[in-house]
Amino acid sequence: MTPRWSKVAGVGGYLPAEVRSNQDLSALVDTSDSWIFERTGIRNRHIAAADETASSMAEIAARQALLMAGVAFDQVDLIIVATGTPDRVYPSAACLLQQRLGISSGCPAFDVQAACSGTVFALSVADQFIKTGAASTVLVAGSEVCSRIVDWTDRSTCILFGDGAGAVLLTASEQPGILTTRIHSDGAFEDLLYCPNPHAAALAKQAEAAYIHMRGNEVFKMAVNTLGRIVDETLEACGLQQTDVDWLVPHQANIRIIAATAKKLGLSMEQVILTLENQGNTSSASLLLALNQGVRDGRIQPGQIVLMEAFGAGFTWGSALVRF
Ligand code: UT7
């Protein structure tokens, strides 16, 4: 049987118009531009308007990806949205995206929730569908409205997060595309980074606020160590060397975490696609927003090898190694 690979045929991205700077945040909480930039690498983040949602932002990114791929909407035979901030508890953001795009073929559409690692989990699922022949044209989006689950009085978290959406269109190909995906979870660390479900909390009569709670320093250390290991695991799975990697497209959580992973790979920071400074941490949207930037500005070229990686609540972590 001819091998089937998942090829990246199109990318897209969307950022809301409102920009909130470190300066703006220093009027809300006891912080400063220098503290935030030095500790995180972030200067600005985009904030969704009241009428914007995970599916509305994903729609804009998805239309760009479909246009770049030159694929008709009714050819899409699977839609996966990675999000921790869906429009509704249900239907899924993927169903709402399907409706927004007017795809009435009945193709499956579902969300994947793996916090900041959501996109690598979604890419992994999409890749399995394509490899087995269960799907041929898969739309994957990562879309988040983090600003609605952030406590704007908590300086340890509100400085980190932003809103936005990224999308990628994968098509079946006889030429190598996604070389491997590696995904992992360990629920033992669930209390280091979490956001309560307000409905469940009400039922359990818990008083905890339904915002992001994070023990940042502990998460930081776990992220650096775990991402170092996933890099080795990913290259080993494909029999490749560090020198084979052209670009690192990381989840954009903290410049110090990203720099540690680049160092582990022996890559210079010029080989890292960074969006962090002006977008902050957009959770599951960040990888695809960075990929969109790297492809559209011409840095990522056909034939090059791109390593994507992410770490998030759960803990969850993973990677996707892709030949463009
Ligand atoms: O994307 C999902 C995964 N998430 C991550 O990967 C995030 C990982 N964690 C981080 O990026 C970092 O831990 C943070 C950026 C969140 C925090 O940086 P840190 O170097 O770990 O700082 P810290 O939490 O150890 O806090 C150091 C000090 C504390 O004060 P004391 O106790 O030393 O007096 C904090 O209260 O900085 C204080 N602090 C702040 N000061 C000014 C915490 N937040 C702020 C702030 N402005 N915004």
Side-chain angles (χ1 to χ4, degrees):
M1 196 177 114
T2 315
R4 276 170 70 95
W5 302 84
S6 309
K7 199 83 188 164
V8 173
V11 291
Y14 172 76
L15 293 163
E18 187 193 335
V19 175
R20 201 164 288 176
S21 68
N22 290 350
Q23 201 68 36
D24 296 332
L25 292 180
S26 64
L28 294 178
V29 290
D30 181 14
T31 191
S32 65
D33 175 51
S34 59
W35 192 96
I36 300 172
F37 188 67
E38 279 161 28
R39 298 280 179 131
T40 70
I42 300 167
R43 282 206 195 278
N44 298 298
R45 67 286 293 143
H46 292 253
I47 305 294
D51 61 348
E52 289 184 306
T53 64
S55 74
S56 77
M57 296 192 300
E59 179 191 357
I60 299 168
R63 286 183 184 276
Q64 292 173 8
L66 284 155
L67 187 68
M68 180 185 273
V71 163
F73 289 18
D74 60 6
Q75 280 177 259
V76 173
D77 54 13
L78 173 63
I79 302 171
I80 309 176
V81 175
T83 185
T85 51
D87 310 33
R88 295 176 173 167
V89 173
Y90 52 78
S92 64
C95 283
L96 300 180
L97 176 60
Q98 182 184 41
Q99 185 267 336
R100 285 175 177 278
L101 295 173
I103 296 173
S104 55
S105 59
C107 76
F110 55 86
D111 290 356
V112 162
Q113 204 277 74
C116 296
S117 312
T119 289
V120 284
F121 276 63
L123 287 173
S124 186
V125 173
D127 187 41
Q128 314 309 318
F129 268 80
I130 288 180
K131 275 191 189 139
T132 57
S136 298
T137 308
V138 184
L139 176 62
V140 173
S143 189
E144 299 282 5
V145 200
C146 297
S147 61
R148 293 192 191 134
I149 58 164
V150 157
D151 177 356
W152 290 101
T153 66
D154 175 11
R155 69 174 182 175
S156 69
T157 52
C158 76
I159 55 145
L160 301 170
F161 296 96
D163 302 335
V168 67
L169 201 276
L170 299 174
T171 51
S173 169
E174 290 178 10
Q175 302 303 318
I178 294 181
L179 303 175
T180 190
T181 59
R182 321 295 302 175
I183 53 172
H184 298 280
S185 305
D186 188 346
F189 298 96
E190 52 92 13
D191 60 346
L192 293 187
L193 174 52
Y194 65 96
C195 179
N197 176 345
H199 309 294
L203 285 175
K205 294 191 168 46
Q206 291 169 0
E208 199 171 35
Y211 294 126
I212 297 172
H213 298 255
M214 178 167 71
R215 303 215 309 251
N217 203 265
E218 289 165 73
V219 176
F220 183 96
K221 288 176 196 152
M222 286 292 295
V224 170
N225 291 332
T226 308
L227 290 171
R229 286 201 306 276
I230 197 78
V231 159
D232 289 340
E233 180 190 325
T234 308
L235 292 173
E236 208 177 295
C238 301
L240 293 176
Q241 309 295 317
Q242 294 181 358
T243 47
D244 294 318
V245 177
D246 295 294
W247 294 102
L248 175 64
V249 178
H251 166 51
Q252 315 273 322
N254 186 309
I255 192 69
R256 293 180 288 143
I257 297 174
I258 295 171
T261 310
K263 189 172 172 198
K264 167 86 187 170
L265 268 168
L267 294 179
S268 78
M269 288 305 275
E270 278 67 48
Q271 289 170 280
V272 183
I273 310 288
L274 289 172
T275 54
L276 184 68
E277 183 170 342
N278 288 310
Q279 298 178 14
N281 180 349
T282 56
S283 192
S284 69
S286 89
L287 259 189
L288 296 183
L289 278 165
L291 187 69
N292 180 56
Q293 187 151 313
V295 170
R296 286 187 186 268
D297 67 20
R299 277 180 288 175
I300 297 173
Q301 288 291 317
Q304 290 187 325
I305 292 186
V306 175
L307 177 58
M308 299 186 240
E309 46 79 352
F311 180 88
F315 288 135
T316 54
W317 63 99
S319 65
L321 191 68
V322 186
R323 183 181 287 283
F324 271 73

